[in-house]
Amino acid sequence: QHQQHQQQQQKQQHTATTTRTTITTTKETKTATTTTTTGELVGGGVALYSHEKLPITNVQTYDDRYCQVLICTSELQKSVISVFYRPPECPVNSFRNSLDFIDRYIKEHGEDYQLSLLGDFNLPCIGWSSNSIHPGGSSCATESAMLLLDFMSENLCIQSILQPTRLHNILDLYISN
C-alpha cells in the first residue's frame, strides 16, 4: 500500500510539472494557455484578441510553467503587443527569462515600434506613483520588481494604471513606451 501511494504521488508530481502551451488561432483571437498533460488548466494563462481589420503577425509565446507571455506585431499600427502573466512568488530567474524573451523579440521584430505590454504581474511592492519599491516584500518580489523597473527604464516605458486593480494593490499593468 505504501509503495502504491508513493507511485501515485510520483505520478501526480509528474503530471503537475509537465505542461504544454497551446496557441489557438481564429480570425480575431490569439490565446496561449498552459495545461497539464491530462488537459487540466494550470493557472494564469494569457489571451490576446485582435479585430480582423487589425492583423497581427509574428506571434510567439513563452511559457516556463511560471510566467506566460504572448507577443506579436501589428505592422499596421507599427507596434509590438504583449500580454503577460507572472504568478505570485514566481522564481526570479523565470521572470528574468520572460523579460529577456520580450527584449529579444523587440530587437528582432520591432525596435522602432511602439511597445504595449499588458498583464498580471503580481508585484504589489512597486509604488507606481514614484516608481519605487516598497519595503517588506519577499526577496523574490523585490528582485523581480527591480528587474521590471530596469526593463522599463531600458525601453523608455511608463506604467499607466495608477488605481488599484485588486484590493489595494496595482497588480494588473499597462506598460508602454
Side-chain angles (χ1 to χ4, degrees):
Q1 226 179 22
H2 179 68
Q3 201 173 28
Q4 188 178 26
H5 179 69
Q6 281 183 322
Q7 287 173 340
Q8 278 182 324
Q9 280 185 323
Q10 287 173 346
K11 184 177 179 183
Q12 286 173 345
Q13 287 172 349
H14 176 72
T15 300
T17 59
T18 305
T19 60
R20 130 185 127 221
T21 300
T22 305
I23 299 176
T24 307
T25 305
T26 65
K27 275 186 172 179
E28 301 175 2
T29 308
K30 306 280 187 196
T31 62
T33 55
T34 303
T35 56
T36 65
T37 54
T38 59
E40 298 171 60
L41 190 61
V42 171
V46 293
L48 175 66
Y49 297 88
S50 173
H51 194 276
E52 62 187 8
K53 292 183 180 178
L54 183 64
I56 54 177
T57 59
N58 304 316
V59 177
Q60 293 183 20
T61 61
Y62 173 88
D63 184 348
D64 67 358
R65 295 185 4 241
Y66 294 102
C67 291
Q68 288 124 18
V69 177
L70 187 146
I71 192 166
C72 61
T73 305
S74 169
E75 299 293 338
L76 187 63
Q77 296 292 319
K78 299 290 185 210
S79 62
V80 170
I81 304 162
S82 181
V83 286
F84 196 106
Y85 176 71
R86 177 198 171 274
E89 298 307 318
C90 169
V92 174
N93 281 338
S94 173
F95 189 59
R96 178 183 295 111
N97 292 340
S98 60
L99 292 176
D100 289 346
F101 169 78
I102 294 170
D103 261 338
R104 286 190 305 275
Y105 184 96
I106 292 168
K107 286 176 179 50
E108 186 177 332
H109 295 285
E111 217 163 5
D112 298 326
Y113 283 26
Q114 174 76 26
L115 172 64
S116 294
L117 174 58
L118 308 97
D120 184 353
F121 287 79
N122 285 300
L123 290 169
C125 60
I126 299 176
W128 289 109
S129 57
S130 60
N131 281 353
S132 62
I133 300 171
H134 300 303
S138 71
S139 61
C140 285
T142 300
E143 194 171 339
S144 293
M146 288 188 293
L147 288 171
L148 181 60
L149 292 174
D150 287 346
F151 173 89
M152 290 173 58
S153 177
E154 290 165 9
N155 289 285
L156 305 174
C157 292
I158 59 168
Q159 198 289 117
S160 300
I161 298 176
L162 300 176
Q163 297 297 318
T165 58
R166 222 164 300 139
L167 300 175
H168 300 290
N169 300 308
I170 301 173
L171 305 180
D172 304 304
L173 308 179
Y174 174 64
I175 297 168
S176 64
N177 61 358

